């Protein structure tokens, strides 16, 4: 089971969007950014999806500081393709940020790409 933590101002909405997909291999839990960083660092979670109003700094600020920029990526206000997400995950990214108004587009793409990795 792959554990995804959601955080930021849209954490509930991200969890709900992924939950509606019905992907049994994903466990999605809302979290604070500090708790998420600690769980990711010790292997108690696999990915973090953070949201803020712009998808830039606030969605990942604490996680970039504690996990390092090599583990983090923000989409800002753009909507990536599933191929772009897969490449980022394959490259070692575990922490992703995006804007609240992109939740319905990005959360399902992230969930499917993460689930495809098994």
């Amino acid at each position: 089971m792959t554990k995804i933590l959601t955080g930021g101002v849209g954490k509930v909405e991200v969890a709900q969007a992924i939950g509606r997909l019905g992907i049994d291999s994903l466990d999605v839990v809302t979290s604070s950014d500090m708790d998420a960083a600690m769980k990711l660092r010790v292997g108690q979670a696999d990915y973090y999806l953070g949201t803020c109003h712009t998808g830039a700094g606030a969605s990942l600020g604490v996680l970039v500081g504690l996990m390092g920029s090599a583990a983090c990526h923000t989409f800002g206000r753009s909507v990536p393709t599933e191929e772009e997400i897969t490449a980022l995950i394959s490259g070692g990214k575990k922490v992703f940020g995006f804007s609240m108004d992109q939740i319905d587009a990005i959360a399902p793409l992230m969930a499917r790409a993460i689930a495809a990795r098994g």
Side-chain angles (χ1 to χ4, degrees):
M1 176 91 42
T2 302
K3 187 168 199 167
I4 300 172
L5 302 176
T6 66
V9 292
K11 65 184 171 187
V12 171
E13 292 86 349
V14 172
Q16 290 171 340
I18 294 173
R20 285 192 292 271
L21 299 173
I23 302 172
D24 292 335
S25 63
L26 299 179
D27 178 22
V28 183
V29 178
T30 59
S31 178
S32 69
D33 50 4
M34 185 65 84
D35 188 49
M38 302 318 276
K39 287 183 177 176
L40 286 163
R41 290 178 79 177
V42 298
Q44 293 177 350
D46 301 293
Y47 296 94
Y48 175 82
L49 306 179
T51 53
C52 68
H53 292 287
T54 64
S59 63
L60 301 181
V62 169
L63 283 112
V64 170
L66 295 175
M67 300 286 299
S69 61
C72 304
H73 179 82
T74 181
F75 297 112
R77 301 193 51 76
S78 66
V79 176
T81 65
E82 196 162 335
E83 293 77 23
E84 291 170 322
I85 294 168
T86 299
L88 289 164
I89 291 170
S90 295
K93 303 291 185 189
K94 295 182 173 289
V95 176
F96 297 89
F98 48 95
S99 63
M100 283 190 57
D101 63 349
Q102 302 295 344
I103 290 173
D104 289 336
I106 295 177
L109 288 172
M110 290 297 311
R112 288 185 189 107
I114 290 168
R117 291 194 52 89

